[in-house]
Each structure stands twice: as structure tokens, then as C-alpha cells.
Amino acid sequence: MASGTLTIDLDALVHNWRALAKAPETGAVVKADAYGLGLAPVAHALAKAGARSFFVATAEEGAALRDTLGQGPVIYIFSGHMAGDTPLINSRTLTPLLNSPDQLERQLSALPDAPFGLQLDTGMNRLGMEPAEWAALRDRLLSKSPALVMSHLAAADEPHAPMNAAQLKVFRALTEGLTAPRSLAATGGTLLGRDYHFDMTRPGIGLYGGAPFTQARPVVRLELPVVQTRTVAPGESVGYNRGYVARQPRRVATLAAGYADGLIRAMSGKATLYSGPNSCPLIGRVSMDLITVDITDLPDTPDSLTLLGPQQGVDTLAQAAGTIGYEVLTSLGARYSRRYTGAGAGAGA
Ligand SMILES: *Cc1c(COP(=O)(O)O)cnc(C)c1O
């Protein structure tokens, strides 16, 4: 078998969700195929643990989630109600988070009695109604009882960034006295403390074991099989364009995963793999399907090496490649053989 094995610990996922449950309600963000870990098994495990509100980026993702979970949970759509989304929103009972006056008109003309939420911009300038738009529409909107009024923090992973308190202040001012439920915090905001929790939090990355939830249990393990090994003499090179040149005799293992599997090329010569506690440097360039690793210091030749696991989490690997854990997770490719472990395994997998 030439593909790597990606093991996803659903017990750790549920543990992380519970550990982040600080607000009256804790939702779960499962956009981008649950951050690359698999929408169906992740959503089933969280629903079984009690999650009642799920968040995805697009109506298409929402429809897939509804077909997986069935009726019951509320499914919020961050991108709101885009042109062409009406049939999916209607047939799957999705709750768009309306971002603009245009989206509001689309919603009220196409689906006047359907549920919706609102996204307000408090300074990130990415999604959500501007304060002036909200002021003009507020009374009309509130008469329709929005399911949720939310905003998103731009710097919640930096606890001391002044932007956090600034956005909190704007959010409070825009939503003071509302009876609709309010939500401001994703993972980072949840960790900023009670002021940021309001009625619902929306953690994503923390559920999957990523920073800024440094207390998270690791969820992902990635084992890559060794395809072959060889000895390289001084002066010989390894991989494309002589990306690595041996100065001493080296034992090199070729492993079955590359940039097509999410081991982004920026990991070339930078990442570390593990055989139990022993570290082995990735040498040379990452190719499409393969990487090469220096295993000279290992006592024997392993069948596989660990790229993600107890020795090294997604953020450490991300740092080696100059990126963030979110990108490492959502880049994980389709070729791995995926194993789900824990109490929720089996359901929907
Ligand atoms: C992705 C996203 C989240 C989840 O963020 P994490 O940092 O992964 O917890 C929450 N809210 C919005 C609007 C998002 O886009």
C-alpha cells in the first residue's frame, strides 16, 4: 500500500469541543470538509456529543451537511444568500448569515418566511453589513427575528491586539438591547474570556487540535510508508535540482506523500519526521507524490514515519513551512487512507 494513513481521533475532537464550551451555546465550524478531516464523521461525532448549531462557508457545504445529519441541527452559511443559492437554502432548510442589503433583499423576496441570521462588520472589512447599513435596516430586520446576529474578530489569535477590544466595543454598540442571540467568538475569541462569549461561540480550528487552542488534544495522526531506502555517497544529491547534497554517507528513505497530498513544497528541506521519539529531517525538495528523509541516525529501517502525531502537531509542522495549522489541515489530500477512531467512529464515515 503506497498511500499514507491519516488517523482522526473523534474522541479528541469531542473532548476539544467540550473544553471550548464556555458560552450558553457552543456551535461547531465544519467548513472546508471539517478543515480537511471529513465532514460526515466529524459532524456526526459532534452532533452526538450535543452540538446543535453548525457553520459552513457555502450553501453547497450546507446542503451536504444537511444530507448527512438530517433535520434537526441549525446550519448557518457564512457567505449568506448568494445569487443561485435559493433552491439549496430552501430545500435543505439552511440559515444564511446575510452580509449585505443585497443579500437581505434576495432573502426576503425569495424566501420571506425562512430563517436567517445577520453578519455585521465590526472592523475586519471582510464579511458583514457596515454599521451604517445596519442602522438603516435594523428595525426592519429585527421585526423578522433573526436567528443569530454575529460578527468575526480579525486578530483573536493575538490576545493583546488592541483590535479585539475595539471590535468588542463596536459589536456591543451595534447589538445593545437586542433580543436576538449574539455571537462574536471563534476559537481565539473563546479563549479571550467571557466578555467575548455572548450567546454562542463558533470554534473551528480548536476542535481539530490547532492553535490558538494550545490545550487542545491532538486529533490528527499522519503516517507515511517508506517505499524504498538507499545509501547516498558524499557528493551525491537527492531529489529534484540537487536540492540536497550529501557531505557524508547518508541513508535516505523515500516516503509516499508529496505536495499533491498537502505536504506543501515550502516544507522542502525544512520539515521533520519521526520514528517514535527519533527525529529525521526531510531533505531535498518535496515532489508531487514523494518526499525524501534522512534516516541515517535511526537504529533500523522503519516501515513508516510519522509526520503528524504526538511528536509534532499541525502548528509545529506549519511553522516549518512558514504557514499556519489551518492551511496544513485543509491541504491534506484525498489519497490518504483515512481511519476514524473513538466513540463516534463508524457513524457517517
Ligand atoms: C472560519 C470561521 C470561524 C472559525 O474560526 P476558527 O479560528 O477556526 O475557530 C468562525 N467564524 C467565522 C466567520 C469563520 O469564518
Side-chain angles (χ1 to χ4, degrees), residues 34-75:
Y35 289 45
L37 301 189
L39 180 67
V42 164
H44 276 286
L46 292 170
K48 198 169 156 210
R52 307 307 299 150
S53 295
F54 290 85
F55 294 83
V56 291
T58 67
E60 287 78 5
E61 290 182 336
L65 181 57
R66 178 64 75 208
D67 294 347
T68 291
L69 288 182
Q71 294 305 316
V74 181
I75 299 175

Side-chain angles (χ1 to χ4, degrees), residues 29 31 35 78 119 126 150 152 186-187 202-205 326:
V29 179
K31 60 193 180 189
Y35 289 45
F78 286 137
Q119 193 156 189
R126 186 182 69 169
M150 61 157 281
H152 192 51
T187 301
R202 316 180 305 270
I205 192 72
Y326 297 75

